[in-house]
Amino acid sequence: MIRFSANLGFLFSDRPLPDAIRAAKTAGFHAVECHWPYDTPSSEVRQALAETGLEMLGLNTRRGDVARGDNGLSAIPGREKEARAAIDEAIAYAVDIGASGIHVMAGFDQSIAGGHCFIDNLDYACSRGAGHGLTMLIEPLNEHDAPGYFLRTTQQAADIIDDVGADNLKLMFDCYHVGRTEGDVITRLKNLLPIIGHIQFASVPDRGTPDHGEIDYQTVFAEIEALGWTKPLGAEYRPTEKTEDTLGWLT
């Protein structure tokens, strides 16, 4: 049976993170994940996870200086010190709350030097995370939402994973981003399954609830189950109303 994770960067985001975890449990989710939890003491998140019995699947490294337009640091030449500090911070937080994965955000740079920088920083992240049993994730973002982002396609991500050669580096396969950029989501899922560490979804093209749009998620979920995938799938859509009122697809 397919299980689902609530991405608390978007779902239940009208309340503090610990309360969002509790709301996800009440709504029937099997796990949670988040974006940038760092303003919330890890002890409060850990307590909410213990109360609900939910696993925190993952969190993101900090974006950097958001006011300056940063959206990740690890593929930005000259900012390696900041990138590695963000990686260390994410690892420490993940370990404290028992999270299993970290999305290492690349940032806005599409140069060859940015590629080398990303690989070096991923090697650092994987080495640091391995001792804690952490999986490092990289996620291609579509050009419509994140123009200029370093990581843009699943093939580019697959090549980087091969170059780094770390067992704990995996692909974050977001059906929404793949659907907008590359299409043929089911075929790509099948072909990339050995390197996928987490799967997310939202409707295409509006990133809304997964009950409309260009992708038939009932078919996609059935294919994922047929592939033998057992981890919770991450619901990372933007609710247009109170999250509880958008969960008809979950039942």
Side-chain angles (χ1 to χ4, degrees):
M1 183 183 71
I2 291 291
R3 298 180 299 146
F4 296 101
S5 167
N7 189 297
L8 304 179
F10 291 155
L11 305 188
F12 308 107
S13 61
D14 57 345
R15 62 206 81 185
L17 182 54
D19 291 340
I21 293 169
R22 297 180 180 102
K25 174 66 174 182
T26 300
F29 284 96
H30 301 92
V32 290
E33 57 202 69
C34 60
H35 288 164
W36 303 282
Y38 305 106
D39 291 337
T40 303
S42 59
S43 59
E44 295 180 12
V45 174
R46 188 172 64 247
Q47 179 180 347
L49 293 172
E51 286 177 14
T52 59
L54 296 181
E55 177 188 2
M56 180 69 77
L57 297 183
L59 50 93
N60 297 346
T61 55
R62 283 192 192 266
R63 289 175 286 182
D65 187 344
V66 178
R68 196 172 78 176
D70 287 341
N71 195 30
L73 299 166
S74 289
I76 312 297
R79 301 184 70 181
E80 290 85 354
K81 184 175 181 180
E82 294 172 77
R84 295 188 180 195
I87 289 166
D88 289 341
E89 176 188 39
I91 289 173
Y93 199 103
V95 169
D96 200 33
I97 65 171
S100 54
I102 293 172
H103 171 204
V104 181
M105 299 196 68
F108 294 123
D109 188 298
Q110 296 185 344
S111 67
I112 293 174
H116 293 313
C117 182
F118 196 36
I119 288 171
D120 287 345
N121 283 325
L122 288 172
D123 183 69
Y124 175 86
C126 291
S127 297
R128 289 296 184 99
H132 301 288
L134 290 168
T135 297
M136 299 297 156
L137 299 162
I138 57 174
E139 179 183 18
L141 304 184
N142 77 77
E143 285 280 351
H144 305 283
D145 292 351
Y149 194 75
F150 173 79
L151 193 58
R152 303 176 300 285
T153 70
T154 53
Q155 184 58 59
Q156 183 188 10
D159 291 342
I160 289 170
I161 290 169
D162 186 58
D163 286 342
V164 174
D167 290 340
N168 62 331
L169 180 60
K170 298 292 183 179
L171 169 65
M172 177 110 79
F173 189 104
D174 190 325
C175 298
Y176 164 73
H177 287 296
V178 175
R180 293 218 67 184
T181 302
E182 303 174 62
D184 203 2
V185 168
I186 290 175
T187 298
R188 296 186 194 285
L189 273 167
K190 291 178 179 178
N191 292 341
L192 293 164
L193 189 66
I195 64 167
I196 294 175
H198 185 43
I199 300 172
Q200 296 176 324
F201 61 90
S203 66
V204 175
D206 65 0
R207 204 169 193 174
T209 53
D211 56 6
H212 67 279
E214 298 173 5
I215 296 178
D216 177 1
Y217 274 109
Q218 292 307 309
T219 299
V220 172
F221 294 157
E223 289 288 343
I224 290 172
E225 186 172 17
L227 289 171
W229 186 269
T230 59
K231 300 175 185 177
L233 309 181
E236 193 185 29
Y237 65 87
R238 295 183 184 275
T240 55
E241 53 191 317
K242 188 176 179 181
T243 299
E244 286 89 342
D245 296 331
T246 71
L247 298 176
W249 63 271
L250 187 58
T251 58

